[in-house]
Amino acid sequence: MISAADIFSISSQKQFEKIALKVFRHQYENNQVYREFCELLKTDSHKVKSVEQIPFLPIQFFKSHNVVSNTDAIEAVFTSSGTTGTITSKHLVTDASIYEESYRKGFSEFYGNIEDYVVLALLPSYLEREGSSLIYMVEDLIKLSNQPESGFYLHNHDELIKKLIELDQAGQNVILIGVTYALLDLIEKQQFNLKHTIIMETGGMKGKRKEMIREELHQQLCEGFGVSSIHSEYGMTELLSQAYSLGEGIFECPSWIQILIRDTEDALTYIPQGKTGGINVIDLANINSCSFIATQDLGKKNPNNSFEVLGRFDNSDIRGCNLMVM
């Protein structure tokens, strides 16, 4: 059995592949939903010798099935946001400590000691519902910062504006984590010139604003906050890890996550670096659910293993259903 210590101590590509194959075999044997999917694809688990041969479960399965790889009690249920009437994803988590270790180590890898920052969160659409894995993570980071100024903001923009200006003028390092539309709302009320603040957008207009291309969005946010770059977090309900962009929309992963880009017309074929296709994610922190997820996102991979998110599939649920019945 693979332990969390094995996953979070990966230090080479060879080690990653070895553990990924062990996780695949564990999940094939113990996850009924994943096994049935693999059998639909006529996958012989004994013949899978490389990461590229592992089947990736369409993310839509988290909407219709309980995707678990053990029989332990459920400690947390993370659910996706969705418009009224839509079916939301649910991620059944049997060991929340693995999620905590994943996001704590991931944050530390990209940003250093959390105690060096005041963490401010502007996440109204997430705060207003239950089951958000993002709120779970940010709430913990706020506590770990040990900064009395850290905290959540909902619609109290005036209070947040005052706090941002005060902290920045005092030379305090700040991370403002915000859902995209709420950050745009904030800079419509106040133009900033922040010198010590990182703006991290978590993506999504949540139906509140018209969608924008990243370059246009980040230009507006840079101008509005007076910063040189916008950071981003790439995560989702169905994953227990995050990738981070420190600017320009270029994401990097901690050592226990990797991205593959699949052909948009043939989901079982991978395409070369620099070409646009569907994003497949290997998240080894998903040891107790499924570590091999075919997302609905479009992106491309760069030569240094960084990646970009370029949009989403049109009619992505339909494409997913096609993959399910192959």
Side-chain angles (χ1 to χ4, degrees):
M1 178 61 189
I2 302 296
S3 69
D6 295 325
I7 291 164
F8 297 122
S9 62
I10 290 172
S11 60
S12 69
Q13 178 62 23
K14 186 176 180 181
Q15 193 179 9
F16 178 91
E17 291 183 6
K18 181 180 179 183
I19 291 177
L21 288 167
K22 283 186 177 180
V23 170
F24 160 69
R25 293 191 180 96
H26 166 73
Q27 293 179 343
Y28 181 88
E29 294 295 332
N30 294 281
N31 185 325
Q32 182 180 351
V33 172
Y34 184 55
R35 181 174 185 140
E36 287 177 2
F37 174 70
C38 290
E39 288 174 346
L40 269 175
L41 297 178
K42 297 182 168 47
T43 303
D44 182 343
S45 64
H46 299 292
K47 292 182 179 178
V48 173
K49 304 294 185 185
S50 71
V51 164
E52 288 77 15
Q53 294 173 314
I54 294 173
F56 282 73
L57 188 74
I59 202 165
Q60 294 91 333
F61 273 85
F62 284 84
K63 292 182 177 181
S64 55
H65 294 76
N66 292 336
V67 182
V68 288
S69 293
N70 60 26
T71 56
D72 296 348
I74 305 301
E75 291 187 4
V77 179
F78 295 134
T79 56
S80 62
S81 55
T83 53
T84 305
T86 61
I87 301 171
T88 57
S89 293
K90 62 183 185 297
H91 192 171
L92 307 181
V93 178
T94 59
D95 188 349
S97 71
I98 293 178
Y99 180 43
E100 291 165 3
E101 187 168 4
S102 176
Y103 66 67
R104 288 171 183 174
K105 284 183 179 293
F107 180 92
S108 175
E109 186 171 319
F110 289 95
Y111 294 98
N113 189 346
I114 185 66
E115 294 186 359
D116 292 338
Y117 300 93
V118 167
V119 180
L120 305 179
L122 182 61
L123 300 166
S125 53
Y126 294 92
L127 269 180
E128 292 166 322
R129 66 178 182 84
E130 291 187 1
S132 166
S133 57
L134 179 62
I135 294 298
Y136 187 106
M137 175 180 83
V138 174
E139 189 170 38
D140 189 48
L141 293 176
I142 285 170
K143 288 177 186 170
L144 291 171
S145 74
N146 284 325
Q147 300 274 6
E149 307 279 9
S150 293
F152 285 100
Y153 289 80
L154 192 53
H155 302 298
N156 44 341
H157 286 178
D158 291 338
E159 192 180 330
L160 176 56
I161 288 166
K162 183 181 176 187
K163 181 67 66 180
L164 277 168
I165 293 171
E166 282 179 359
L167 290 170
D168 202 73
Q169 288 179 346
Q172 171 64 54
N173 292 327
V174 174
I175 294 182
L176 172 61
I177 302 175
V179 63
T180 305
Y181 77 84
L183 293 174
L184 289 168
D185 290 347
L186 193 66
I187 60 173
E188 283 183 358
K189 291 194 73 170
Q190 174 76 38
Q191 293 282 297
F192 297 88
N193 185 24
L194 301 173
K195 304 294 185 190
H196 306 282
T197 302
I198 291 170
I199 307 298
M200 183 187 294
E201 55 100 1
T202 64
M205 294 298 189
K206 307 298 179 188
K208 307 281 187 180
R209 284 175 175 260
K210 180 183 170 187
E211 293 292 339
M212 300 165 64
I213 62 169
R214 179 187 56 78
E215 289 81 2
E216 181 187 1
L217 168 66
H218 282 202
Q219 183 181 356
Q220 282 193 27
L221 292 175
C222 282
E223 291 173 359
F225 286 105
V227 296
S228 59
S229 64
I230 300 298
H231 294 217
S232 305
E233 178 256 3
Y234 181 74
M236 57 193 74
T237 300
E238 300 85 358
L239 302 177
L240 294 185
S241 304
Q242 298 76 31
Y244 289 100
S245 166
L246 307 189
E248 306 298 326
I250 308 295
F251 288 92
E252 295 189 41
C253 301
S255 61
W256 56 92
I257 316 177
Q258 285 194 12
I259 303 294
L260 290 83
I261 306 295
R262 68 182 185 271
D263 192 310
T264 55
E265 302 301 325
D266 178 3
L268 303 181
T269 301
Y270 294 105
I271 59 175
Q273 292 174 345
K275 302 281 188 180
T276 300
I279 295 178
N280 283 3
V281 181
I282 302 174
D283 181 3
L284 298 179
N286 274 23
I287 180 75
N288 295 320
S289 53
C290 181
S291 289
F292 311 98
I293 306 296
T295 78
Q296 297 171 350
D297 294 325
L298 288 166
K300 65 179 181 180
K301 194 170 178 180
N302 301 318
N304 64 352
N305 283 331
S306 65
F307 70 100
E308 299 173 52
V309 182
L310 303 173
R312 291 174 75 83
F313 280 106
D314 292 327
N315 303 317
S316 52
D317 279 330
I318 296 171
R319 288 173 180 267
C321 290
N322 290 342
L323 187 59
M324 288 182 220
V325 297
M326 287 181 64

